[in-house]
Amino acid sequence: MPGEEGVWLFIGGDLILFTLLFAVFLHMRGEQLTVFTEGRAQLNQTWGLINTLLMLTSSWCVATAIQAARRHQVQVTVRCFGGALACGLGFWIVKCFEYSEKLSAGLTITTNDFFMLYFIYTGIHLVHVTIGMGVLTALIFYARSGDFGATKLRNLESGASFWHLVDLLWIVLFALLYLVGAP
Amino acid sequence: MRDLLLTRTTLIWVLLVGATLVSWELGHGVGFDSATSAGAAILIVTFVKVRFVVLDFMEIRGAPRWMRVIAEGWIVLCCALLIGLFLLAR
């Protein structure tokens, strides 16, 4: 098993919670199809695409960091975790542009049910990104001393698994919020 | 470094980026006449991506069998649930 059991318990719980959130979104979309179709059209898909590419690239960096750690390549491990952290920062910056664009257009959490779910879901995800960036920062300092024994590798894998969860959740959010239901 | 770049992980990343661009095109009216068919196709592509992330990036492919069964089961159920709810909104 990659990483600690406790991390997988958390990942499983988070996935169940988000499955419910995804289902609620599509259920509400079914009840207010026009509102949700118009809301989706008001999102900037390019921001969503850029953030998806940043998330996928960050996950690749993290997976490569773990492979490098298994080969005891300290510098490569640290650089790859650093690359993932930079992608996370990029995600945050893009999200700030996106939110400010929406707010300046008068689109807020109270505009309608689509934007209520948009801000809540992307906000919860952004909290995950922020926690993940904290984890990645800790992993960078943790990996710098090298000496990748079994326990250390397991801890690195635990942090990596959490970051991949953040990527996975965004993949589904991108499809639901930005892509499906285009007329 | 070179042997860390030429890995299955890198191939999966390329596939994920490619699948994202396919989803993007599907979401912009390419390939299907109806938004409903395009939406269902986008969700299928999305969960193919999710499966790659779970099996290869999260390394569930090499995890104990019970973990893989739970993970694959969740992917299938979640995908079916979301496509079902999406199609109900027609």
Side-chain angles (χ1 to χ4, degrees):
Chain A
M1 180 188 297
E4 294 291 336
E5 287 175 10
V7 169
W8 285 103
L9 207 60
F10 174 81
I11 289 172
D14 220 32
L15 284 178
I16 291 170
L17 174 70
F18 266 90
T19 302
L20 290 173
L21 294 179
F22 299 150
V24 165
F25 178 86
L26 286 177
H27 174 71
M28 288 178 71
R29 178 180 179 274
E31 292 187 334
Q32 305 174 59
L33 197 50
T34 308
V35 170
F36 276 60
T37 303
E38 287 173 0
R40 190 210 63 84
Q42 287 173 289
L43 294 185
N44 186 334
Q45 274 94 11
T46 306
W47 291 136
L49 177 67
I50 293 170
N51 267 348
T52 304
L53 297 177
L54 283 170
M55 272 289 129
L56 293 176
T57 305
S58 70
S59 251
W60 174 83
C61 287
V62 166
T64 304
I66 294 298
Q67 289 175 8
R70 288 180 185 141
R71 297 174 186 202
H72 301 276
Q73 296 175 321
V74 180
Q75 285 301 319
V76 179
T77 305
V78 170
R79 281 180 197 156
C80 285
F81 279 134
L85 184 62
C87 289
L89 186 64
F91 186 98
W92 241 103
I93 292 168
V94 168
K95 215 75 206 141
C96 287
F97 277 118
E98 190 178 356
Y99 281 157
S100 68
E101 194 178 82
K102 293 288 153 288
L103 295 174
S104 56
L107 300 167
T108 68
I109 198 165
T110 57
T111 299
N112 57 36
D113 282 349
F114 175 83
F115 279 101
M116 178 185 75
L117 295 186
Y118 162 79
F119 278 108
I120 291 175
Y121 287 16
T122 55
I124 294 173
H125 181 264
L126 200 55
V127 170
H128 280 68
V129 172
T130 309
I131 295 169
M133 287 172 69
V135 170
L136 288 174
T137 305
L139 292 185
I140 288 170
F141 284 104
Y142 190 53
R144 276 167 76 174
S145 58
D147 191 22
F148 298 121
T151 307
K152 193 162 193 172
L153 275 176
R154 178 161 280 237
N155 291 335
L156 292 176
E157 289 167 357
S158 297
S161 297
F162 178 77
W163 188 261
H164 294 312
L165 168 73
V166 177
D167 174 31
L168 185 161
L169 295 175
W170 180 256
I171 287 172
V172 184
L173 282 175
F174 173 58
L176 286 184
L177 293 171
Y178 294 82
L179 295 180
V180 297
Chain B
M1 187 67 194
R2 181 185 160 87
D3 48 342
L4 273 172
L5 291 176
L6 300 175
T7 58
R8 180 181 169 83
T9 305
T10 303
L11 176 65
I12 299 298
W13 175 77
V14 171
L15 288 173
L16 289 170
V17 170
T20 301
L21 298 177
V22 168
S23 300
W24 172 266
E25 292 295 327
L26 290 171
H28 287 80
V30 176
F32 290 94
D33 290 333
S34 95
T36 308
S37 305
I42 288 167
L43 288 173
I44 290 170
V45 172
T46 296
F47 278 88
V48 169
K49 288 164 67 183
V50 165
R51 186 168 183 268
F52 275 124
V53 170
V54 169
L55 293 189
D56 293 289
F57 284 176
M58 294 173 118
E59 300 185 333
I60 293 296
R61 195 180 290 280
R65 186 176 166 77
W66 63 269
M67 274 186 88
R68 181 161 179 176
V69 169
I70 291 174
E72 299 256 27
W74 172 78
I75 291 167
V76 171
L77 285 176
C78 191
C79 182
L81 173 69
L82 297 192
I83 289 176
L85 286 168
F86 175 72
L87 293 178
L88 278 176
R90 294 176 71 181

